[in-house]
Amino acid sequence: MAKITFITSSNEKITVAATDGSVMELAVNNNVQGIDGDCGGVCSCATCHVFVAPEDVDKVGVASEIETDMLELADDANEYSRLCCQIPVTDAINNVVFTVAK
């Protein structure tokens, strides 16, 4: 089981746990403000844009080419940006912190 913390734009910290699915699904199912997941997780809308805490980047891994292309459309994307629909929930991301981009 992985515990994941989201920090919203209002600086609310929400820690939730899961064993499977995507980080986006976890956020949507737990009403994390700012994570909409409008495309349902197929990497075509960027409504699940998050910033990975710098110390957690290695745990999360690198973005795929299609994800990188989608992130180029986000005005505030940086080297810590990810689309959380593309991050699977696994034990490897236990205790990772994501800051919601909007």
Side-chain angles (χ1 to χ4, degrees), residues 29-82:
N29 291 340
N30 287 279
N31 301 311
V32 175
Q33 178 187 2
I35 302 291
D36 299 325
D38 288 344
C39 72
V42 297
C43 198
S44 66
C45 70
T47 62
C48 65
H49 180 198
V50 294
F51 302 109
V52 180
E55 62 271 15
D56 293 329
V57 169
D58 289 340
K59 289 183 181 180
V60 174
V62 298
S64 67
E65 184 177 341
I66 191 168
E67 182 181 352
T68 301
D69 290 346
M70 186 59 56
L71 283 166
E72 287 178 1
L73 301 175
D75 292 334
D76 53 352
N78 64 32
E79 68 269 25
Y80 302 111
S81 291
R82 289 294 308 269

